[in-house]
Amino acid sequence: MTSSVNSTATSAPAVPKILVVGGGYAGFYTAWKLEKTLRKGEAEITVVDPLPYMTYQPFLPEVAAGSIEARHSVVALRRHLKRSTVITAKVTGIDHAHKLATITPPVGEPWQQEYDQIVVTAGAVSRTFPIPGIADNAIGLKSIEEAVAIRDRLMSNFDKAALLPPGPERDRLLTVVVVGGGFAGIEVFAELRSLASALLGAYPQLTFDDTHFHLIEAMGRIMPEVSLATSEKVLAELAQRGAFVHLDTQVKGAVDGNVELSTGDVIPTDLIIWTAGVMANPQVVRGSDLPVEERGRIVTRPDLRVGTDEEIVEGAWAAGDVSAVPDLTGGGVGGFCVPNAQHAVRQGKLLAKNITAVLRGEAPRDYVHKNLGAVAGLGLGRGAFQKGKIGFTGPLAWLAHRGYHGLAMPTWERKLRVIGGWCNNLLLGRDLVNLQTVQNPRYVFEEFAARPRPAQPPVTPPAEPRGAGKEADKPEAVDAAKAAASR
């Protein structure tokens, strides 16, 4: 008796696809930690960001002041995300109903990417208002390119001002206006004041009184992250350094670099830095079908899944500045975590653990993080520190600032580069090289490059009279004809 056995081939289950939108703090840490928590082959990770690196934004003021090398304050995604696919492009659409994301590369045609789990960590961009002249003349402080441009602009202005006699044009070149009195604004304001003081030693034509620094803040105080007493100490220190802080003042216009204030004052300047707030990345938020709250952030649960207490959007996660994550400690603004690096980094780490848990059929944990305090750098040897009711300024606060951020910088490779740079500056002094021309690297080549001459229009020779050629061979005959014609 023969028997037949029917075997049905079973295909292996598909590997879950995790798409991380944004490679900033939260996105980088999510992918970085997922690579460590997931077993090999347990999921496929793809990170999409228009930039191939993560920027450590707390270092941007020091980059603008030349205290940190620009490349050392960013983390290359491809170097440190060994098991992830990194795509340098923009996510311009999220159709979560069908789990498709539209990816738009810098060259070529957009395409749709399938996913099983999506992590939206697209961060924030500078929030501006329709003030005349701001969009045309101001520069933000959200990217490494902006920090470098600020530094080179200030140093180039010193070069130009040193060749001018005292007067309005020289004053304009040596005037810096910062809009916004939060941490970013105060830090870049103080760091640039420190840089300008260092530059004066190399320009004997200029004096301290020739430089003018103005910070504009619409509120009645600066640095809401620290106590009022600490913020007042910072104000007093800035005043001693010849910097002016305009409180309860708004910018009404900045046409042609003339900053008009609500007080009626006008400040001519060649360098306007805008740090007055941020907003969730609108390109990603508006292009998705995920729920959004009134401030334009993605509605996020305490466990970092998209949704509310009543309803969960399965397969969707969010963290960082683009998300509205409830602050369970009760210390957040409006009940939500404030948009800063401290929350974004920790949310990214927890996000990786929660995604891993869900993939393995386990329950995710809620995000709970109490503010560790605040540190700010205010120029070489100057800083501000706040921990609970303890707050102070000075060299000790500056050391706390550098110690905290030096350790918080991701990857030991980057920590060593940053700390090594600080040590070099301590021994060799601040690097005062100006590289503004790197923004137009072909200017010398273009100036002296040989170019083909423009094509000349064709020249038609005049019609030659019959026999003229023969007569031209007889000069005496031509002369006789000319003499007869002149009679």
Side-chain angles (χ1 to χ4, degrees), residues 21-22 48-51 87-93 101-106 110-111 281 283-284:
V21 181
V48 182
D49 194 286
L51 297 174
I87 299 176
T88 306
K90 293 181 179 180
V91 172
T92 54
T102 301
I103 298 178
T104 303
W111 75 89
N281 189 321
Q283 187 175 53
V284 173

Side-chain angles (χ1 to χ4, degrees), residues 107-160:
V107 294
E109 296 297 322
W111 75 89
Q112 289 191 319
Q113 182 104 354
E114 295 181 344
Y115 62 82
D116 298 294
Q117 304 281 335
I118 190 167
V119 180
V120 185
T121 53
V125 299
S126 295
R127 181 191 63 187
T128 59
F129 307 102
I131 300 172
I134 287 295
D136 300 320
N137 298 303
I139 185 169
L141 191 65
K142 290 291 293 178
S143 69
I144 194 68
E145 293 83 3
E146 290 173 324
V148 171
I150 289 170
R151 175 179 182 268
D152 289 340
R153 172 74 66 84
L154 180 62
M155 298 182 74
S156 292
N157 285 355
F158 265 74
D159 289 335
K160 298 172 185 176

Side-chain angles (χ1 to χ4, degrees), residues 203-406:
Y203 294 88
Q205 308 94 323
L206 305 176
T207 67
F208 183 87
D209 293 335
D210 292 327
T211 60
H212 314 284
F213 281 75
H214 297 268
L215 184 136
I216 318 301
E217 170 53 46
M219 306 297 290
R221 60 162 297 180
I222 61 170
M223 303 173 73
E225 299 89 345
V226 303
S227 68
L228 181 60
T230 303
S231 70
E232 289 176 345
K233 290 179 183 178
V234 174
L235 284 174
E237 183 174 315
L238 290 173
Q240 291 176 356
R241 295 162 63 185
F244 299 91
V245 178
H246 306 257
L247 299 178
D248 294 313
T249 305
Q250 297 178 348
V251 175
K252 295 297 185 181
V255 178
D256 297 329
N258 294 309
V259 179
E260 303 175 28
L261 306 182
S262 57
T263 59
D265 296 329
V266 178
I267 305 173
T269 178
D270 191 56
L271 181 53
I272 305 170
I273 304 168
W274 182 273
T275 66
V278 297
M279 63 180 178
N281 189 321
Q283 187 175 53
V284 173
V285 172
R286 294 171 187 169
S288 81
D289 57 357
L290 299 174
V292 178
E293 45 94 73
E294 60 273 9
R295 294 187 60 185
R297 298 173 298 180
I298 295 175
V299 178
T300 309
R301 292 162 44 88
D303 59 11
L304 304 179
R305 286 184 287 186
V306 174
T308 63
D309 292 337
E310 296 76 26
E311 185 178 359
I312 300 173
V313 180
E314 295 292 345
W317 308 77
D321 296 355
V322 78
S323 64
V325 179
D327 191 338
L328 300 184
T329 67
V333 177
F336 296 99
C337 296
V338 296
N340 62 22
Q342 196 173 131
H343 282 302
V345 168
R346 286 165 177 80
Q347 288 171 6
K349 293 178 180 179
L350 179 62
L351 232 172
K353 294 178 181 178
N354 282 354
I355 293 174
T356 302
V358 168
L359 291 179
R360 295 174 181 173
E362 303 169 4
R365 295 190 294 111
D366 287 347
Y367 175 75
V368 182
H369 172 67
K370 189 173 179 58
N371 190 1
L372 296 177
V375 287
L378 305 175
L380 291 178
R382 298 178 173 93
F385 175 92
Q386 187 73 48
K387 173 64 174 175
K389 295 182 179 180
I390 302 174
F392 53 88
T393 61
L396 189 59
W398 176 72
L399 288 174
H401 166 264
R402 286 208 160 177
Y404 173 80
H405 286 298

